[in-house]
Amino acid sequence: MPRPLGELEDTVMTRVWKWNRPVTVREVLEDLQKERSIAYTTVMTVLDNLHQKGWVRRQAEGRAYRYEAVSTRAAYAAALMNEAWAQSDNPAAALVAFFGMMSEEQRQALTDAVRVAGLPETGEQRRPVERAGSPEQAGPPEQVGSPEQSPPAEPSVENPAAGEGPRGR
């Protein structure tokens, strides 16, 4: 099960996801220092923890590392929603309650997502989904690099079939 990120982990991951490229501790630190007082070693520890939990991969560059997200924020959010839904003893009632909490904008996003996913009406056969186009419609990013650079082949947010999500430590 993917555990929700802690506040500082989420703050760091938000930057990693937003920048969508390998980042250094120094880059994250300098951006965080615009909002709060924080030490280099704190950011380094958070990124190391995120690496050990499987949220980022890292590659040595000189005496430091560059960190890159293993998964997207959307995949992380989807895994959390799926896990929360799976915990319900009445999934249909949980969905009804969830839909009742949605704003009009969220309901429109849900309608659009169902259309894009090509989910069938009851009794219809599922049709293939076109994935060309925007990055939001594309599949998960390919993991590139040697085995030393990537987290071990354990469950991830991108591969829920392999297990329950990034490992908690």
Side-chain angles (χ1 to χ4, degrees), residues 78-123:
L80 289 177
M81 289 188 289
N82 187 54
E83 180 59 32
W85 186 42
Q87 295 299 315
S88 174
D89 60 349
N90 187 340
L95 281 175
V96 169
F98 179 65
F99 295 155
M101 296 176 194
M102 293 175 124
S103 68
E104 182 57 39
E105 182 179 314
Q106 290 169 322
R107 282 192 290 277
Q108 185 59 52
L110 175 63
T111 300
D112 294 343
V114 168
R115 182 180 42 78
V116 168
L119 297 177
E121 296 291 323
T122 305

Side-chain angles (χ1 to χ4, degrees), residues 25-81:
V25 171
R26 176 78 49 205
E27 291 173 310
V28 175
L29 171 73
E30 289 172 357
D31 197 58
L32 284 172
Q33 285 179 331
K34 294 174 185 175
E35 300 171 4
R36 61 168 83 183
S37 176
I38 190 165
Y40 181 94
T41 53
T42 301
V43 177
M44 183 174 65
T45 299
V46 169
L47 280 164
D48 184 61
N49 290 342
L50 288 166
H51 174 256
Q52 290 189 30
K53 291 177 178 181
W55 291 108
V56 296
R57 70 175 65 89
R58 67 184 180 192
Q59 181 175 7
E61 185 176 280
R63 292 176 45 209
Y65 289 106
R66 284 204 173 265
Y67 295 87
E68 183 176 20
V70 169
S71 182
T72 64
R73 180 178 278 285
Y76 165 68
L80 289 177
M81 289 188 289

Side-chain angles (χ1 to χ4, degrees), residues 3-14:
R3 289 186 332 179
L5 297 171
E7 181 208 345
L8 191 52
E9 289 174 329
D10 185 69
T11 300
V12 168
M13 281 305 298
T14 295

Side-chain angles (χ1 to χ4, degrees), residues 2 16 28 42 65 93 144 156 164:
V16 175
V28 175
T42 301
Y65 289 106
V144 179
S156 71
E164 299 177 339

